[in-house]
Amino acid sequence: MKRLLHSISMSLSLLALMAASCSSTARSSQNAADSVANNQQLPSVHFNADSAYSFVEAQCAFGPRVPGTAAHSRCGDYLVSQLKRFGAVVTEQKAKLKAFDGTALDMRNIIATINPDAQKRILLLAHWDCRPWADNDSDPANHSQPVMGANDGASGVGVLLEICRSLQSSPASVGVDIILVDDEDWGNHNGDEESWALGTQYWTKNMHEPGYRPAFGILLDMVGAKGATFYQEYYSTTYAQSVVTEVWNIAQRLGYGAMFRNSRGGGITDDHVFVCRAGIPCIDIIDMRLDSDNGFFEHWHTTTDTMQNIDPATLKAVGTVVLTLIHSM
Ligand code: AHN
Ligand code: ZN
């Protein structure tokens, strides 16, 4: 059934995408990430996966970061303080949003600007909130329990915190903007795509800088699990093919081809879709499993999305690939 829903939402969006392919967004994305030629040497970077792992662990130590809870608010303060400690200029966006079920959400997007004077910029995103319900758990009694989100939330944020820390000691020439988006995961599985990614949807309508135009964006979602496989996600290849090509190319050259598969995956309604629709080509590096019913890792939206299933090797691969791209621009 979930498969069916995926394909329905995919064919609907195909229509929209055919129109979008004629726009300037699609054209400009052709050249968004054309910097590393195949014959050019890749910069050598060091991404500290143990440090990234400790950032994932620290978020989980607050408990599930469900909007409206003390764990969410404390973890938000922690993320702001870490990004400041790593030398970024941090701004916050706060707004009252309404979830699909009527719940009032105090949204908090956390934005870190690195190398603010650089003209050429890259946008990096990850959601930091946790889903309030483990509604994919095999035990229905757990459906009302929150998700810890070690992978679904904390992993992407952990990699981005470590990239921020790394850029402080080894600066890049390009500017980097990290947005830790809130309220991604309070969504409805009835096919209502606008119920997801509320923090990102807010940001696209209220950008932190008027006329903000990074070269492209990269969303990290579920980038920490053991055995992760990153297929080329459908909306990413539609709106930002050159960025996908670049990222997967770097991954192959670094020896991460078993994780970064050189083949197409399905479409996922995720933060990047709304960024793309706002005119910024953005890809989603997301763990997709072709052998599971819902297309995601086995602990997705269950009470077992915990530190036990986080593998530093996955964080290492994703962090190294993204950091290499940053230093090659
Ligand atoms: C849907 O299931 C429609 N989107 C998945 C987006 C997501 C949820 N990523 C992590 N959690
Ligand atoms: Zn989720």
Side-chain angles (χ1 to χ4, degrees):
M1 183 56 187
K2 289 228 174 84
R3 274 258 158 89
L4 183 64
L5 282 176
H6 268 277
S7 57
I8 291 169
S9 79
M10 205 161 113
S11 48
L12 283 175
S13 31
L14 262 174
L15 290 170
L17 289 172
M18 283 192 282
S21 68
C22 308
S23 76
S24 62
T25 301
R27 250 177 289 136
S28 69
S29 75
Q30 304 286 302
N31 305 314
D34 54 0
S35 53
V36 197
N38 260 329
N39 56 0
Q40 203 180 315
Q41 217 192 319
L42 291 178
S44 137
V45 305
H46 177 72
F47 179 84
N48 187 332
D50 295 328
S51 174
Y53 184 93
S54 76
F55 295 140
V56 180
E57 218 168 21
Q59 292 168 77
C60 291
F62 290 102
R65 284 82 60 217
V66 171
T69 65
H72 181 267
S73 134
R74 288 190 192 122
C75 183
D77 295 345
Y78 161 79
L79 297 173
V80 169
S81 77
Q82 292 297 86
L83 292 164
K84 284 186 177 161
R85 186 161 78 83
F86 304 146
V89 179
V90 181
T91 55
E92 292 188 60
Q93 279 190 324
K94 293 186 176 178
K96 283 232 187 288
L97 303 181
K98 201 173 197 152
F100 77 89
D101 60 356
T103 306
L105 303 174
D106 284 312
M107 184 213 74
R108 184 177 186 189
N109 287 338
I110 299 167
I111 305 170
T113 302
I114 302 164
N115 192 5
D117 296 333
Q119 280 295 309
K120 191 169 193 179
R121 311 199 63 80
I122 302 177
L123 169 65
L124 303 176
L125 309 106
H127 79 90
W128 70 277
D129 61 304
C130 293
R131 185 163 181 79
W133 324 280
D135 47 359
N136 193 49
D137 204 284
S138 56
D139 180 355
N142 285 336
H143 290 188
S144 58
Q145 296 298 305
V147 175
M148 177 56 85
N151 194 34
D152 190 358
S155 67
V157 173
V159 168
L160 295 187
L161 286 179
E162 179 55 19
I163 285 175
C164 187
R165 194 182 74 88
S166 162
L167 289 173
Q168 184 176 36
S169 46
S170 307
S173 55
V174 76
V176 174
D177 303 293
I178 292 174
I179 309 191
L180 306 181
V181 287
D182 199 2
D183 302 336
E184 186 277 336
D185 229 346
W186 201 297
N188 190 351
H189 279 299
N190 70 348
D192 172 13
E193 55 173 11
E194 316 254 300
S195 68
W196 300 87
L198 298 181
T200 295
Q201 292 191 57
Y202 179 87
W203 176 78
T204 61
K205 292 169 199 134
N206 306 273
M207 291 197 192
H208 60 290
E209 212 186 282
Y212 176 65
R213 283 280 133 184
F216 58 86
I218 299 179
L219 168 66
L220 303 183
D221 193 2
M222 302 193 273
V223 293
K226 227 170 283 165
T229 47
F230 303 113
Y231 290 88
Q232 303 179 350
E233 186 273 336
Y234 173 80
Y235 297 104
S236 308
T237 58
T238 304
Y239 284 98
Q241 177 62 58
S242 71
V243 185
V244 171
T245 303
E246 184 83 29
V247 166
W248 263 257
N249 210 349
I250 289 173
Q252 312 306 310
R253 290 175 67 187
L254 292 173
Y256 294 125
M259 231 180 271
F260 283 79
R261 304 288 176 96
N262 256 334
S263 53
R264 301 281 173 117
I268 318 267
T269 302
D270 208 346
D271 298 291
H272 69 306
V273 172
F274 300 97
V275 175
C276 289
R277 288 181 185 157
I280 298 169
C282 185
I283 69 163
D284 193 3
I285 300 180
I286 182 166
D287 184 1
M288 296 164 109
R289 307 290 174 106
L290 301 189
D291 54 359
S292 83
D293 318 335
N294 52 48
F296 300 119
F297 84 129
E298 64 171 312
H299 306 285
W300 181 66
H301 292 181
T302 73
T303 53
T304 50
D305 180 3
T306 56
M307 283 311 290
Q308 268 147 1
N309 305 303
I310 298 296
D311 184 349
T314 304
L315 300 170
K316 174 92 180 175
V318 173
T320 304
V321 168
V322 175
L323 198 54
T324 300
L325 176 59
I326 290 170
H327 284 287
S328 71
M329 299 266 306

